[in-house]
Amino acid sequence: VRELGGCMGPIWHSYYSECSALLFVVDASNPTQVSSSCIQLLSVLSAAPLASVPVLVLFNKIDLPCYMSLVEMKSLFRMQDIVSCATQPITMLETSARDGTGLADVLQWLRATLKDP
């Protein structure tokens, strides 16, 4: 497991060859970062080494009063278009790392995605 924050975007590609699954975390409480996050997601999805790597997009911080719902985030990201054009399977979940909401679903996704053949 590697955490690569947004400011590390320029070096993300150096980790792609080792990637079996990708968790892309978006701050759902920060509308000013939506366009930047979307651009980063599109960049990741278009990387050749990740063409078949399963992706879980996590809309995090749903515990905050100003969070945008999954419906709003999907609309802002144009997720329907992204999913239809992507070569890899994409799943989306809402989470709160603070209170644990959705984390069981994340673990379930990881278990199913990384299961032994």
Side-chain angles (χ1 to χ4, degrees):
V1 174
R2 301 214 191 253
E3 177 189 355
L4 301 174
C7 65
M8 297 174 72
I11 65 163
W12 286 2
H13 63 84
S14 62
Y15 295 95
Y16 291 167
S17 64
E18 302 171 18
C19 189
S20 302
L22 176 74
L23 277 68
F24 191 90
V25 182
V26 178
D27 183 345
S29 71
N30 189 347
T32 62
Q33 290 296 315
V34 168
S35 61
S36 173
S37 295
C38 188
I39 291 167
Q40 286 182 317
L41 176 61
L42 291 170
S43 174
V44 167
L45 294 175
S46 65
L50 300 176
S52 62
V53 171
V55 176
L56 178 58
V57 179
L58 299 174
F59 296 110
N60 191 38
K61 297 189 181 180
I62 64 167
D63 55 299
L64 297 178
C66 57
Y67 90 96
M68 292 176 282
S69 71
L70 185 59
V71 170
E72 291 171 306
M73 293 301 289
K74 283 180 171 181
S75 175
L76 288 170
F77 269 73
R78 298 184 53 106
M79 287 305 295
Q80 186 174 355
D81 293 336
I82 290 173
V83 168
S84 68
C85 294
T87 59
Q88 55 277 84
I90 300 173
T91 304
M92 291 157 277
L93 293 173
E94 290 181 307
T95 60
S96 168
R98 178 180 287 168
D99 69 18
T101 302
L103 295 185
D105 294 328
V106 172
L107 292 174
Q108 182 180 5
W109 182 87
L110 283 168
R111 274 190 227 105
T113 301
L114 299 175
K115 65 182 180 241
D116 292 326

